[in-house]
Amino acid sequence: MAEFEREQTIPVDARTVFDLARDVTAMDAWLPDGLQVEPSGPERGEGVEPADGTERVTGRVSMGDEIDEAEGYLAADVEQRRLEWGDLEDGGYSGWLQVDEDGPDRSRVVLHLDVRGDHPQAVDGEAHEITDEHLAQALERLAALATESVT
């Protein structure tokens, strides 16, 4: 397993940042290049109890000519301002995003990604650097989107 984590301070209140981050229909505006997520149902799947704020999603990751598509879940804990996601087969990707207050009209966002199973394309050498850069890109885009939303 490989773990990736990035953090960024955003000059916007945590609730606004979290609300933007959890909107599945608008995720294309802040997710990194090569990653798409779209809603595909309200549940996590068979054998997994659905929870409040959990919805089924389809994720697509493209690296070069290769496209990897998987059914997954996205869970939003509004009180904690935390998103958690993963694939339903539990053999690939999972992660979380946490948004915390960092002073008046300021938030601290941590984006964490776990890569499990047979995904050497995301954990070795140059691909490791690219995955880390994609997390940084996502946080930069989320910061720009949040800043734009309050101006």
Side-chain angles (χ1 to χ4, degrees):
M1 178 170 80
E3 293 183 70
F4 301 85
E5 190 168 289
R6 284 289 190 132
E7 178 180 320
Q8 181 150 345
T9 301
I10 300 176
V12 177
D13 71 275
R15 177 65 56 205
T16 299
V17 174
F18 180 74
D19 287 345
L20 288 167
R22 73 182 177 123
D23 181 359
V24 177
T25 62
M27 283 185 172
D28 283 347
W30 68 270
L31 289 175
D33 295 336
L35 177 60
Q36 295 177 306
V37 175
E38 62 186 34
S40 58
E43 298 130 12
R44 287 177 78 164
E46 190 175 316
V48 180
E49 277 189 45
D52 291 337
T54 301
E55 62 184 296
R56 190 178 181 120
V57 294
T58 300
R60 284 181 207 79
V61 178
S62 57
M63 294 184 92
D65 292 336
E66 188 176 321
I67 297 175
D68 185 18
E69 182 174 300
E71 290 298 308
Y73 68 91
L74 177 67
D77 183 333
V78 176
E79 292 300 315
Q80 297 296 314
R81 292 185 303 270
R82 184 178 178 93
L83 295 177
E84 294 184 7
W85 62 85
D87 63 31
L88 292 175
E89 288 80 38
D90 200 32
Y93 301 92
S94 65
W96 50 266
L97 179 136
Q98 179 70 46
V99 182
D100 294 312
E101 292 289 343
D102 192 39
D105 295 325
R106 223 172 129 82
S107 27
R108 178 179 154 268
V109 182
V110 178
L111 180 57
H112 181 92
L113 177 67
D114 291 318
V115 181
R116 299 179 310 281
D118 188 26
H119 291 280
Q121 69 273 16
V123 297
D124 293 330
E126 183 181 349
H128 184 90
E129 292 175 23
I130 291 170
T131 301
D132 190 54
E133 288 172 12
H134 280 171
L135 265 64
Q137 181 184 61
L139 288 174
E140 289 169 12
R141 288 179 175 180
L142 182 57
L145 185 65
T147 303
E148 183 179 296
S149 77
V150 296
T151 56

